[in-house]
Amino acid sequence: MTRPIVLVHGAWVTAESWDPFRRRYEARGREVHTPSWPLIEAKRAAEINRAVPEGFGSLTLGRIVDHLQVAIERLAEPPMLIGHSFGGLLVQLLLDRGVGAAAAVINPAPIAGVVPDAAAISAIAPILFRPAGWLRPYAFDRERFGRLYATGAPADLVDRVFSDWVIPAPGMIFHQAAFRAGSRVQPARRTQPLLITASDCDRLITPGVARAAFRRQSRAGAPTEFHQFAGRSHLLIAEPGWEEVADVALGWLDGVA
């Protein structure tokens, strides 16, 4: 009996960003769930972009994790968790609560104690230095999304992703991550296996940031491993070669399970 899989999306995208992974896993007979965040559950990008839900800009990490935990604990058994970007941070917070059987976090946003490097800081600086930015959503334009999030991806893919998946992100979660508020975990008490990945062309979560998370999480007694993908950007869950990323994540999880 294989465990169900829960895919946790990150900031700036909807749960539909997991469509390639979901279809690939379901084609193998796996049970896959793609819960979204509070206020945008079951909403498509076009609907959210027309009218960003009231209060979305001030949505906190804790509220998102609470929401995900409720959805996950409805399942018949603890699932395997896969998170991307801020979804990777959320998954680590879920593990810290004892939620999930094992996890893979793909280029995760930093947990408390991981110091972002200059590239990561420059990427989020416009979010942090806005007046009352912790209360307001922040949206990428097409140029900035392509330059920072989808570095090197084919232009037609970036256009399609930007149209179909990209939404504003809550300003609050970036302030929390920057100031280590609500993003703290205690690796020493983690009992679930964890894989952390990086990719060498990522300009948002650089390999050094992901590796620092690995070093911190290695304090756990549970298996903790690191994998770096070559030639991939932060959009590695959808850009050419995403199949390898999907297979590495699930293959590792099946191995430890």
Side-chain angles (χ1 to χ4, degrees):
M1 177 72 70
T2 55
R3 291 184 181 272
I5 302 164
V6 172
L7 305 175
V8 180
H9 71 82
W12 288 305
V13 293
T14 65
E16 289 173 299
S17 60
W18 284 120
D19 281 355
F21 276 50
R22 177 184 55 78
R23 287 192 292 262
R24 188 170 184 83
Y25 294 161
E26 287 177 342
R28 299 176 182 179
R30 306 301 289 265
E31 175 188 343
V32 184
H33 302 268
T34 56
S36 193
W37 296 5
L39 303 178
I40 61 169
E41 190 79 65
K43 294 179 183 288
R44 298 178 69 89
E47 179 183 358
I48 297 166
N49 287 322
R50 280 196 301 270
V52 178
E54 185 176 354
F56 188 65
S58 59
L59 190 64
T60 64
L61 292 170
R63 187 176 171 193
I64 300 170
V65 176
D66 289 344
H67 181 83
L68 294 170
Q69 182 173 355
V70 169
I72 291 167
E73 290 183 342
R74 291 193 186 111
L75 301 178
E77 60 179 328
M80 299 188 292
L81 309 177
I82 302 177
H84 171 237
S85 189
F86 255 92
L89 168 56
L90 296 169
V91 163
Q92 291 175 83
L93 294 173
L94 287 164
L95 294 178
D96 195 58
R97 296 184 179 192
V99 178
V105 292
I106 300 170
N107 300 29
I111 55 175
V114 173
V115 180
D117 59 15
I121 291 172
S122 67
I124 66 170
I127 306 170
L128 299 179
F129 295 123
R130 299 176 304 157
W134 56 90
L135 299 176
R136 301 161 53 197
Y138 180 87
F140 270 139
D141 59 26
R142 165 63 177 79
E143 185 277 332
R144 187 168 171 79
F145 177 77
R147 177 164 49 87
L148 293 178
Y149 198 111
T151 313
D156 59 341
L157 173 64
V158 179
D159 289 341
R160 186 168 70 253
V161 166
F162 189 79
S163 173
D164 294 347
W165 299 346
V166 174
I167 60 173
M172 177 64 79
I173 63 174
F174 295 97
H175 284 262
Q176 287 186 283
F179 298 106
R180 307 181 185 183
S183 61
R184 190 171 303 279
V185 302
Q186 299 182 53
R189 73 182 185 188
R190 175 172 54 82
T191 60
Q192 311 98 314
L194 175 63
L195 172 68
I196 297 176
T197 81
S199 52
D200 58 1
C201 295
D202 194 330
R203 293 185 180 176
L204 284 177
I205 306 298
T206 57
V209 172
R211 192 171 286 278
F214 167 70
R215 288 194 297 269
R216 194 166 188 84
Q217 285 284 13
S218 293
R219 300 172 185 175
T224 309
E225 295 187 23
F226 182 82
H227 183 93
Q228 183 163 321
F229 295 98
R232 311 290 171 78
S233 75
H234 198 63
L235 190 62
L236 72 168
I237 64 169
E239 67 189 4
W242 65 264
E243 297 90 345
E244 179 192 4
V245 181
D247 292 349
V248 165
L250 185 55
W252 189 87
L253 290 169
D254 281 343
V256 296

